[in-house]
Amino acid sequence: MALQCGIVGLPNVGKSTLFNCLSNAKAQAANFPFCTIEPNVGVITVPDERLNKLAELVHPGRVVPTTVEIVDIAGLVKGASKGEGLGNKFLANIRETDAIIHVLRCFDDENVTHVDGTVNPVRDKEIIDTELQLKDLETIESRIQKVQKQAQTGGDKAAKQTYEVLVRYKEALEQGKSARTVQFETKDEQKIAHDLFLLTSKPVMYVCNVDEGSAVTGNKYVEQVCEAVKEENAEILVVAAKTEADIAELETYEDRQMFLQEVGLEESGVNRLIKSAYKLLNLETFITAGEMEVKAWTYHKGWKAPQCAGVIHTDFEKGFIRAEVIKYEDYIKYGSEAAVREAGKLSVEGKDYVVQDGDIMHFRFNV
């Protein structure tokens, strides 16, 4: 399940610095626009302390965490929807991602120029929102031209339904609202909406990039962002990217933890961001644990046992018989699968079982 989050923002807000911290890839972090012209892609592991604790009990040959791809997309500017600053290329890169990590500059630094001259994260957010909305409006108007006549004069039910979805999106976008603010009730409408691949329909997380002194408490800029996005139901994260870069340079885990304590943080911003991105995509993890490996598997929240079995192999889903499930807390408490069985804490579940985050699964199948 290849999942991608795209990092976007105006030039010089700290995108590439943050990307370097996330992936240890060497995106060029320079003090001028468009230093990242081709999108850099980093495959990053999702931090999960449960895997390490299970490994201490199981002693597997290897531990395999789950991953998310992070794409560093070059700095957008005003006019990107019309192709300004290589805008069309960048917008195409965003379209391919599953979610957007929108980095906002929330720090003052005379040595780092701002593309618009002053630090104003709310204005910066609105510039990028507008460019994405304009591009979506262009997409919607083009589609309306193709289906309008068919929807209004013919008896084509699908065309009529598509037209109604398009009109609702058009109304929202013309009011300066993103597509994600429009909700559809029926599955047919939801599928039509999904298949449009609109830029502003993607879930978004705002990352407020602050100075080190504001890493724990935030600052006036963060407060402005919180106020501006309060109706969006969006995730907001406060990260000091420069500090995170310094932490990433340290070689040992102990040194990194000591640095975090000195700054006053319990967990690195990078770890918090990766976990939040995973949550943003409505994803959860089930685990398989054995002598060969302890492995995390990504699935969509609400999936049932056969669908999760299919994540491992399509044959597992086709020939699904049952799933043996151990709750993570029970495995840790009793110390082994055998002890869990003996305590009567292993449950046998059928096709309707909704998998829960952290479930340790063993699938029985027959093909």
Side-chain angles (χ1 to χ4, degrees), residues 13 35 82 89 97 103 237 255 336 358:
V13 296
C35 61
K82 302 298 179 191
K89 186 175 178 61
T97 64
V103 183
L237 208 62
D255 286 345
S336 71

Side-chain angles (χ1 to χ4, degrees), residues 213-227:
S214 306
V216 177
T217 58
N219 57 27
K220 63 179 182 180
Y221 297 127
V222 175
E223 289 170 12
Q224 290 165 11
V225 172
C226 290
E227 180 63 25

